[in-house]
Amino acid sequence: MAERWRVAVDRRVCIGSGLCAGIAPERFRLDAARQSHPVEPETEAADGVLAAAEGCPVEAIAITAAEGGEAVFPPDE
């Protein structure tokens, strides 16, 4: 079975740059308030999702393992 991730956007931090939707349009959308949200809160692990999180200028996107809850991004340091 493929690894699954939980994806969350901290709407208090999101500035609506749209980079996530540009990088992974099938995974992220901007709402009417120009706030990002994942299309699905749980998804298969995918490079596009990780690239969107890494590219967020304010690090508003968090990814955790769906099973176990370990941090995928930002990584625990």
Side-chain angles (χ1 to χ4, degrees):
M1 185 169 99
E3 182 181 3
R4 295 193 60 80
W5 289 342
R6 285 199 182 97
V7 181
V9 176
D10 186 337
R11 296 172 62 84
R12 297 167 300 167
V13 176
C14 177
I15 60 170
S17 73
L19 284 173
C20 58
I23 293 170
E26 69 287 354
R27 307 291 184 160
F28 294 92
R29 298 276 188 271
L30 295 182
D31 63 19
R34 293 209 40 87
Q35 293 283 293
S36 176
H37 60 91
V39 172
E40 296 290 331
E42 189 173 306
T43 185
E44 288 187 18
D47 290 341
V49 175
L50 184 58
E54 290 173 338
C56 178
V58 293
E59 295 185 356
I61 301 170
I63 304 171
T64 57
E67 197 170 305
E70 299 87 14
V72 174
F73 187 87
D76 284 336
E77 302 199 58

